[in-house]
Amino acid sequence: QQLMDWNAYLKPELSVLIPVLYLIGAALKKTSIGNWRIPFLLGGGGILLAALYLLSSAFPDNGPQLFALLFSAVTQGILGAAGAVYANNLLKQYTKRKEEEQDADS
């Protein structure tokens, strides 16, 4: 079985969104913001960060370029946020597994 190649979907230079958004999510978790809101905030933050990067690398000259940039920012931001939420879930499940193994050993 082959692992999913994120580079086929997420631009390599935007893959840094995953750990950045993961850390933002971890910080938000320590606030009074409801846990159910965090993925939505990460999605919005990912879109904003992707848009800022894409605007800095190639400013659109016309309408079609602007819509292409917006589409790319939305898809790249959501993929970055999805990667961060997935990484958080993996860590939670791994920690839970270790706790379950310890309980079974006792």
Side-chain angles (χ1 to χ4, degrees):
Q1 185 177 1
Q2 189 174 5
L3 293 174
M4 185 169 144
D5 182 14
W6 278 91
N7 289 337
Y9 304 102
L10 185 64
K11 293 181 180 207
E13 62 272 19
L14 288 173
S15 62
V16 71
L17 283 177
I18 295 172
V20 167
L21 292 171
Y22 176 84
L23 293 173
I24 291 171
L28 288 173
K29 210 162 186 53
K30 294 179 181 179
T31 67
S32 61
I33 293 173
N35 284 345
W36 68 271
R37 289 187 173 134
I38 293 174
F40 294 102
L41 293 171
L42 293 180
I47 292 168
L48 178 66
L49 290 172
L52 289 173
Y53 171 78
L54 293 170
L55 278 170
S56 73
S57 62
F59 198 80
D61 293 327
N62 54 41
Q65 287 180 354
L66 175 64
F67 285 114
L69 182 136
L70 290 174
F71 176 78
S72 187
V74 169
T75 56
Q76 298 296 296
I78 290 173
L79 286 171
V85 171
Y86 179 65
N88 181 57
N89 223 1
L90 284 176
L91 185 61
K92 267 205 277 193
Q93 294 302 321
Y94 182 75
T95 304
K96 187 176 177 181
R97 177 196 63 88
K98 287 177 72 173
E99 290 171 1
E100 287 174 359
E101 286 176 355
Q102 287 176 351
D103 289 344
D105 290 342
S106 342

